[in-house]
Each structure stands twice: as structure tokens, then as C-alpha cells.
Amino acid sequence: MQAHDQYVLERMALPHGPLSDFVLVNLFAEPLGAPMSGDAITQLLGRLSRRAKLERIVTPRMLRRAAGSSAVDAGGGHYWRAHHVAAVPAAVAASDTSHTGTR
């Protein structure tokens, strides 16, 4: 969450940053203020993963899984619990590759 908080601070400091209600928008590439494409997000995560010298490249799917797990661990909100918690154990288990030997 610290990385997202930093992103929001940087975004709000730019003239086109506050104009969109999307989570991730183009801050430095055209079209400025437009939602980032899925490919752009994947490329960004790849660059950041390499810069951080991670063993694995972080993907958007990994972020979704981590966010879901974090929400459940934190108790989630009423909506989350009512509509998603039942599906989370199966979804997290499906993303667990330890039983397949793949990374």
C-alpha cells in the first residue's frame, strides 16, 4: 500500500493527475491522465521487478491475488465478506503453484 500511496501523491501533484477516477493513469506518457492499458501495466511491473532485482516478475494477476488475500486478512468490508470471501479460499488455492512445482 505504501507504493500506491506514493503513486497517489505524485499523481495529485501533476496537472492532469486528479482528472481521472481510474486507479492507474498515464502520468508521463501520452495520453496524459488516461487510464493505463493492461499492456502498459504489465510492462511497468516488469521494469519495476527487474529494477528491484526480484526473482520473479510481478504480474497484475499476482497483485489482484495479494490484494484479495490482504483484504480477507484485514477483515475486509461488509461487501467483501458478503460477496467474495466464500470464493477467496478456492481462488487463492488455484493460484498456489507449490503443488505443481511451477513458480
Side-chain angles (χ1 to χ4, degrees):
M1 293 312 279
Q2 285 179 328
H4 182 262
D5 292 344
Q6 182 64 36
Y7 165 79
V8 170
L9 288 173
E10 290 178 18
R11 174 181 168 168
M12 293 304 153
L14 297 171
H16 52 276
L19 300 178
S20 177
D21 60 353
F22 286 89
V23 175
L24 296 173
V25 299
N26 295 323
L27 298 181
F28 304 106
E30 294 293 336
L32 297 175
M36 290 181 74
S37 69
D39 288 342
I41 294 169
T42 299
Q43 290 172 4
L44 173 64
L45 291 173
R47 285 193 309 271
L48 295 174
S49 297
R50 286 187 289 281
R51 184 186 306 168
K53 299 180 180 167
L54 300 178
E55 291 182 20
R56 297 176 63 185
I57 300 294
V58 175
T59 66
R61 182 177 184 167
M62 294 166 85
L63 293 181
R64 283 194 304 273
R65 301 272 186 211
S69 294
S70 293
V72 170
D73 290 347
H78 175 70
Y79 177 82
W80 178 267
R81 284 193 302 275
H83 298 284
H84 300 288
V85 170
V88 170
V92 172
S95 70
D96 179 11
T97 58
S98 61
H99 63 281
T100 65
T102 60
R103 295 186 83 190

